[in-house]
Amino acid sequence: MADPVGEQVFRDLVSELDGVPGWSASVGKITSDDDVVVGTDVHFVRTEPPLDVTFDELRLDQPRENAGGLSADSIQGSGLSVVGEDVSVDAPVLSVTGIDVPSLADLSFDQDRPFSSLRTLYQHLSEVSVEHAEIPKLHQVVLPRLTTSRKQSVTYEGLELRDWKDGVIAHSAAGPITMRTEGDNPSTARVASVRVEETNFNSVLRLLSDDVTGSASDGSDEWQNAFAEISYAGFSITTEKGVRVSIDDMNLAGIETRRPDQPYIETLEQAMREADRGTDGDTDDRQVMEALTTFFDAMRLGEFKMHRLVAEKTGEEAGRTEIAEIGVSNLTRDGFERAWGTGLLSDFPGAYIKLDRFALADLVFPLPSSESLAALEGAETGSLTEEERRAFATLPFQMAPQIGSLDMEGLVVGQSRLMAVSVDRIQTKSVPSDRLLPERGEFKISDLFVPGTLLRRDPKSAVLFDELGYDGLHINLDGASQLSEDGSLETTTASEIADAAGLQIGAKLTGITEEWVVDLMMQQFENDDDPAPLFALLSKLRLEQMTVALTDHSLIDRSFAFAAEKQGQPADQYKEQIVGALPFLIGTAAPPKVAQFLAGPLKDFLENGNTLVLTLAPRAPLPLSALVDVEDDPEALLKLLGASLETSETAPERPLIK
């Protein structure tokens, strides 16, 4: 039995789409049997940008009009074809159950207002409800206009979604997905499955809104889920040039948005219109930067994880790169809380890298000040005031990422496994601040090993290290620095080469203020050969104290033994000879007071292999520029620096700065 009411609902649907601005719609024939209405040769066309949608047959079960929209127990389509300006899509069949679609009368896309058009689209999507939808197979071809001579196609299988209501799709999935590219470098890519949980159109609507007020429970500080989880499994891509990349799985969780804290859409749309038309308008770079910052400030990612990435190449340059796991947590426009990775290995001809583990914490992406952005814009035209030039000079510091901590273990870098430097562990810590330079920083490098294969790369080096008795060098380094707001810098570093020597350096300087740093940058911009400005800057830096401690761990005796063998003498006899003659040798090469300053401590150091400590302690903080005045007078220099030289049985306790 025919269903004239259902047939009229179908006609009304086609008529409504035909009335949407820029669209036309038609149907070849409408028939019905009981509650099922069937339309054949259904055709929808959009003029700009071009889009042509056809169904060989569209079957609606119990269709009914709903406030200008459409409701149906189910919809089944066959022979779907979609042809756009860039892409064509074909699907043999599709099915939808429990569908309710609002009126589409006001749905249109304005290319001059993409954000506003997307907002309208997502508003309609938030009003759709679907119990279940499925497309067993869909084929997409990217048209040559975008790919020149390369043809790209994608085949989706197993497309489905469940429980779409109140603006949220509970579950959607697809897979496998196969992508093929033809042409000079053909390739095939495959994704075993894609799964998306809880897609929230309401959250996206807030992001696309210039309403910055919201309600008491929906302010700019209230985060809302946009996607609970997006996961990919079994990704691979293969090219005919012997490259294959695969990823076991990739997961994004906790993608959230909040209401932007200020309007931004009109600014971005205006900038996009001006860029498309190649015209200069009222929107400057600073406004665009502020609008983009507002947009990205309103989004965050809870966690990203990827497991087992493998990239391989066969042929002449055969090699392999692997990453067991890599991830990021709490990613925002400002930075991220933590990033990590494990099991990194890359082995190609001439390049070998291995890293067991790394962890980054509290990475901050600073936002340049509006004054600096204005100066950047002025720099493009070459017209900057003095104040703008100073603001521009701070940009490199303002834009540099700040890292709270870095921890790496098991790092190996070199040309090959055998020709590689290894580091057991690298650790850094810093205290991010709003100042141009960090308040405090620390670093530690544990067991940096340079193997004998690298030390002996040429015959002379091979002889040297063989005679010294080193099959490799084990090095430890660490240091710390602290910069106060008044420009006082305290820094200390220490290095230890096992069975060789250790070196510790500590210093305290004053005058490294933000103003001084900007002045230094300004001096670099001037690119002037006149040394006077640089001397003026040096005069503002003052040395309060410095300590240098050199500790012997057997390098002295090894060196004497090496030299003695060259001279054909016993090592002990040769050492006694050289050490005994040292005061005379120094006396012939240096002024008397300098020779007296050096001779005793150096003789004791070479004789006993202990620690040699040089201390600089001026009576008052010493401008570095003052050193230039006495550079040709070593005795005056020692006096000016308050220098002392002595030996100690052990290295000084750290920190070296008193």
Side-chain angles (χ1 to χ4, degrees):
M1 182 179 294
D3 181 6
V5 175
E7 291 181 15
Q8 187 59 47
V9 170
F10 201 123
R11 291 189 187 92
D12 291 343
L13 172 65
V14 174
S15 177
E16 181 175 352
L17 285 172
D18 194 54
V20 173
W23 284 83
S24 64
S26 64
V27 58
K29 184 179 180 181
I30 298 177
T31 60
S32 62
D33 184 8
D34 291 335
D35 294 330
V36 178
V37 179
V38 180
T40 57
D41 297 327
V42 183
H43 196 191
F44 308 117
V45 178
R46 185 180 64 193
T47 54
E48 192 61 36
L51 183 66
D52 192 304
V53 182
T54 60
F55 285 92
D56 290 346
E57 181 179 277
L58 197 57
R59 181 182 295 266
L60 280 64
D61 186 1
Q62 293 192 356
R64 48 201 174 273
E65 190 273 337
N66 182 9
L70 172 70
S71 296
D73 285 359
S74 69
I75 295 177
Q76 294 182 346
S78 62
L80 170 64
S81 173
V82 180
V83 179
E85 189 175 23
D86 308 323
V87 180
S88 70
V89 175
D90 295 291
V93 295
L94 64 83
S95 63
V96 184
T97 59
I99 182 171
D100 193 339
V101 180
S103 171
L104 303 177
D106 63 341
L107 183 61
S108 63
F109 191 88
D110 185 348
Q111 287 183 302
D112 285 340
R113 304 186 65 205
F115 284 91
S116 303
S117 298
L118 283 173
R119 183 170 62 236
T120 302
L121 172 63
Y122 278 101
Q123 180 62 55
H124 283 80
L125 292 175
S126 70
E127 298 170 7
V128 172
S129 64
V130 173
E131 290 180 3
H132 183 263
E134 183 177 12
I135 303 177
K137 192 170 186 177
L138 183 147
H139 186 66
Q140 171 185 298
V141 176
V142 179
L143 301 184
R145 190 183 73 85
L146 287 185
T147 61
T148 62
S149 62
R150 293 162 62 88
K151 180 182 177 182
Q152 296 177 342
S153 63
V154 185
T155 300
Y156 299 86
E157 299 180 54
L159 286 161
E160 73 158 341
L161 65 83
R162 294 197 304 267
D163 299 329
W164 181 351
K165 61 182 178 180
D166 300 325
V168 178
I169 301 176
H171 170 84
S172 53
I177 303 170
T178 304
M179 296 158 277
R180 292 184 175 86
T181 300
E182 302 175 7
D184 296 336
N185 184 23
S187 64
T188 300
R190 188 177 187 275
V191 180
S193 66
V194 180
R195 180 174 54 85
V196 183
E197 304 295 339
E198 294 185 26
T199 302
N200 190 336
F201 296 117
N202 303 310
S203 177
V204 179
L205 267 173
R206 295 197 319 160
L207 179 64
L208 296 174
S209 172
D210 267 345
D211 175 13
V212 300
T213 56
S215 62
S217 61
D218 186 27
S220 61
D221 293 333
E222 296 295 325
W223 289 94
Q224 187 179 69
N225 171 72
F227 299 93
E229 182 180 7
I230 303 174
S231 62
Y232 302 82
F235 170 82
S236 65
I237 182 170
T238 305
T239 74
E240 289 195 0
K241 291 188 176 181
V243 176
R244 186 178 189 277
V245 178
S246 64
I247 299 172
D248 278 8
D249 61 79
M250 187 164 55
N251 182 275
L252 297 93
I255 303 173
E256 298 178 329
T257 71
R258 64 181 179 187
R259 193 174 295 279
D261 56 13
Q262 64 182 12
Y264 73 93
I265 291 176
E266 179 56 35
T267 299
L268 289 184
E269 289 182 336
Q270 170 119 6
M272 294 168 72
R273 288 193 294 269
E274 292 168 1
D276 288 341
R277 295 165 185 169
T279 59
D280 292 329
D282 299 330
T283 307
D284 59 34
D285 292 343
R286 179 171 46 171
Q287 290 174 310
V288 173
M289 178 65 76
E290 290 175 352
L292 287 172
T293 299
T294 299
F295 177 67
F296 287 110
D297 272 343
M299 294 185 286
R300 71 180 181 187
L301 171 65
E303 186 175 76
F304 164 80
K305 286 195 296 187
M306 181 173 65
H307 292 103
R308 191 166 167 71
L309 181 151
V310 178
E312 299 174 286
K313 188 180 185 307
T314 58
E316 293 182 3
E317 299 294 323
R320 180 183 177 93
T321 295
E322 297 180 22
I323 300 177
E325 180 182 69
I326 193 166
V328 178
S329 65
N330 292 333
L331 175 64
T332 68
R333 198 281 308 161
D334 296 323
F336 56 74
E337 183 178 286
R338 180 172 171 261
W340 68 93
T342 61
L344 167 66
L345 175 64
S346 182
D347 190 357
F348 283 86
Y352 180 82
I353 300 175
K354 177 178 174 291
L355 180 61
D356 292 341
R357 181 189 71 85
F358 82 87
L360 276 168
D362 300 325
L363 180 73
V364 177
F365 300 115
L367 186 65
S369 66
S370 58
E371 292 81 9
S372 297
L373 291 174
L376 179 61
E377 189 173 333
E380 295 176 354
T381 64
S383 57
L384 288 176
T385 65
E386 177 68 17
E387 184 178 351
E388 287 173 334
R389 289 172 66 244
R390 294 187 69 81
F392 182 70
T394 66
L395 264 178
F397 300 97
Q398 293 188 40
M399 298 181 70
Q402 300 180 19
I403 301 175
S405 66
L406 168 66
D407 192 354
M408 295 193 295
E409 289 187 278
L411 176 64
V412 182
V413 180
Q415 294 182 346
S416 65
R417 287 184 178 89
L418 296 178
M419 302 288 287
V421 174
S422 65
V423 183
D424 182 63
R425 192 171 188 181
I426 298 174
Q427 297 167 281
T428 70
K429 291 182 180 180
S430 67
V431 179
S433 71
D434 295 332
R435 293 165 18 202
L436 295 184
L437 298 175
E439 295 179 17
R440 180 175 176 80
E442 301 176 18
F443 78 91
K444 185 175 184 179
I445 300 176
S446 303
D447 196 14
L448 186 158
F449 177 63
V450 184
T453 51
L454 287 178
L455 298 176
R456 294 169 171 79
R457 296 185 67 177
D458 62 81
K460 288 184 178 181
S461 297
V463 170
L464 174 64
F465 285 102
D466 283 342
E467 293 296 334
L468 290 176
Y470 292 115
D471 190 38
L473 296 179
H474 291 268
I475 304 169
N476 291 295
L477 302 151
D478 67 271
S481 63
Q482 183 166 322
L483 180 63
S484 62
E485 196 165 358
D486 64 4
S488 176
L489 172 68
E490 294 190 46
T491 179
T492 175
T493 61
S495 59
E496 292 283 335
I497 303 177
D499 295 326
L503 178 67
Q504 297 185 27
I505 301 174
K508 184 173 182 180
L509 295 169
T510 61
I512 308 180
T513 61
E514 289 197 4
E515 181 181 3
W516 184 88
V517 172
V518 174
D519 286 341
L520 180 63
M521 294 298 294
M522 293 281 287
Q523 177 62 27
Q524 299 299 316
F525 292 153
E526 291 293 340
N527 196 22
D528 194 343
D529 293 334
D530 183 7
L534 183 59
F535 286 147
L537 284 174
L538 288 176
S539 68
K540 295 180 181 180
L541 290 186
R542 298 173 182 269
L543 175 67
E544 289 196 3
Q545 183 181 355
M546 184 172 183
T547 306
V548 180
L550 177 63
T551 301
D552 176 59
H553 298 316
S554 79
L555 182 59
I556 290 176
D557 285 342
R558 290 171 185 260
S559 300
F560 274 122
F562 173 53
E565 185 175 352
K566 295 293 183 184
Q567 298 296 323
Q569 291 183 279
D572 290 345
Q573 180 182 340
Y574 180 78
K575 177 180 177 180
E576 182 179 352
Q577 213 172 30
I578 295 298
V579 172
L582 187 64
F584 171 76
L585 296 173
I586 294 176
T588 60
K593 289 187 178 180
V594 175
Q596 183 180 359
F597 177 84
L598 295 173
L602 282 178
K603 182 176 182 296
D604 184 36
F605 177 64
L606 293 177
E607 193 170 32
N608 298 307
N610 45 24
T611 297
L612 184 67
V613 182
L614 171 66
T615 302
L616 307 180
R619 293 183 179 180
L622 180 67
L624 296 188
S625 58
L627 301 178
V628 178
D629 298 331
V630 293
E631 61 180 345
D632 295 327
D633 188 347
E635 292 184 2
L637 179 63
L638 292 177
K639 183 177 180 181
L640 185 66
L641 289 169
S644 64
L645 187 66
E646 59 185 5
T647 57
S648 172
E649 290 300 320
T650 58
E653 292 291 332
R654 300 185 64 201
L656 302 177
I657 304 165
K658 298 178 182 178

